Amino acid sequence: MSIIIKTREEIELMRESALSVSRTLGMIASEIKPGVTSLYLDKLAETFIRDHGGIPAFKGLYGFPNTLCMSLNEAVVHGIPTDKPLKEGDIISVDCGVLKNGFYGDHAYTFAVGEIKPEIQKLLDVTKEALYLGIEQMRSGNRIGDISYAIQTHAEKHGYGVVRELVGHGLGKKMHEDPEVPNYGKRGDGPKLRDGMVLAIEPMINMGKKNIKQLSDGWTILTADGLPSAHFEHDVALVDGKPDILSTFEYIEEALKKK
Ligand code: MG
Ligand code: MG
């Protein structure tokens, strides 16, 4: 394993890449409603990214066909956009990657389509909380396992399942760098955290059991029990011993307030 440490200058370039994703997700937030298709949103995102000087980073990555991973309800991650209209009460996890100035941004948000059931809203809230609790642990002297433990503990406290097979990761000139950042684990385990590390931290939390299966499209990951799943992801640098969140949900939250 080789963890690539970034300079301050590189971290500022990565902030630009991360914010390109944030702005794209903010644009998507204002467009999500019952009746629109994920394929339509995908096209909007591709145009938006290119118009702002970025390259849609998922398109063609390992052969993925689209700009956004759009994972509906029981889909955990890696969903392929479709021409099926979104319905009131759905949730959709939107994961987006942008390549800009040679560096990748990669983050995700799970959106409600119209009104959703309170128990599903709770799944979204707890998954987002778990993300921020994990980020808080990204401090010099801590280890990857401290992030993992914080996420797992919060999710399981609410009776949710933590996906094991898919994990967060280092981020930089490659979309997936070392180290892996599991959403489960023990305090004090794994690589030591130090200044200049940039991680994509991304809890994938199931309302039911942790088990998953893959759809026959070769991409979409589904919960094995068919219950909903949520996914929130931020890009975080370790600067002066503390977490510096390069991406932001502010654009999304502003767009949702206006609805
Ligand atoms: Mg992602
Ligand atoms: Mg990621």
Side-chain angles (χ1 to χ4, degrees):
M1 186 174 57
S2 66
I3 297 172
I4 301 166
I5 296 300
K6 278 82 184 177
T7 64
R8 288 294 178 99
E9 291 73 22
E10 288 173 325
I11 287 171
E12 289 317 308
L13 290 175
M14 291 195 69
R15 194 187 309 277
E16 259 194 66
S17 308
L19 290 177
S20 299
V21 180
S22 305
R23 290 187 196 99
T24 308
L25 292 175
M27 180 277 294
I28 291 296
S30 59
E31 297 288 336
I32 285 187
K33 53 179 173 284
V36 305
T37 71
S38 50
L39 203 53
Y40 167 75
L41 297 170
D42 181 75
K43 293 283 171 259
L44 285 183
E46 178 170 0
T47 305
F48 186 89
I49 291 167
R50 294 193 193 281
D51 285 353
H52 291 81
I55 297 169
F58 291 169
K59 205 168 184 171
L61 184 73
Y62 313 118
F64 189 76
N66 291 86
T67 295
L68 301 177
C69 291
M70 304 202 81
S71 308
L72 189 66
N73 298 325
E74 72 274 20
V76 180
V77 286
H78 302 167
I80 297 178
T82 72
D83 56 7
K84 191 178 139 201
L86 299 176
K87 298 190 313 294
E88 181 91 18
D90 281 342
I91 55 168
I92 188 158
S93 300
V94 182
D95 195 350
C96 179
V98 168
L99 176 63
K100 204 173 188 180
N101 302 318
F103 286 95
Y104 285 96
D106 170 26
H107 78 115
Y109 195 92
T110 301
F111 294 93
V113 180
E115 290 288 314
I116 59 171
K117 288 182 190 159
E119 64 264 35
I120 299 180
Q121 185 60 53
K122 190 182 155 203
L123 172 69
L124 304 192
D125 294 343
V126 169
T127 305
K128 201 201 282 184
E129 288 159 15
L131 168 61
Y132 284 105
L133 290 168
I135 290 171
E136 253 175 51
Q137 295 299 316
M138 194 171 162
R139 297 181 177 275
S140 336
N142 276 4
R143 290 177 181 268
I144 292 288
D146 295 297
I147 299 173
S148 309
Y149 176 84
I151 292 171
Q152 180 181 15
T153 310
H154 190 64
E156 290 183 349
K157 196 169 79 186
H158 293 274
Y160 297 146
V162 177
V163 173
R164 299 298 202 266
E165 294 86 344
L166 299 144
V167 297
H169 50 93
L171 186 72
K173 289 184 178 169
K174 289 195 178 146
M175 173 70 80
H176 296 113
E177 293 185 357
D178 287 332
E180 290 196 339
V181 186
N183 296 305
Y184 63 96
K186 292 195 186 76
R187 273 183 188 147
D189 256 11
K192 216 171 198 172
L193 301 173
R194 57 188 186 95
D195 269 5
M197 285 173 75
V198 181
L199 304 177
I201 302 177
E202 50 178 317
M204 289 156 256
I205 306 297
N206 299 344
M207 184 179 266
K209 298 214 158 52
K210 65 181 188 295
N211 311 69
I212 56 168
K213 60 183 181 184
Q214 191 169 39
L215 195 66
S216 55
D217 65 9
W219 279 105
T220 315
I221 303 295
L222 303 168
T223 59
D225 58 14
L227 291 174
S229 183
H231 179 214
F232 289 85
E233 177 178 23
H234 266 317
D235 302 337
V236 191
L238 211 162
V239 178
D240 293 332
K242 296 192 300 288
D244 180 352
I245 307 178
L246 305 180
S247 47
T248 177
F249 293 148
E250 271 172 42
Y251 300 106
I252 294 172
E253 280 151 11
E254 273 170 36
L256 295 179
K257 254 185 248 159
K258 283 186 200 143
K259 280 181 142 178

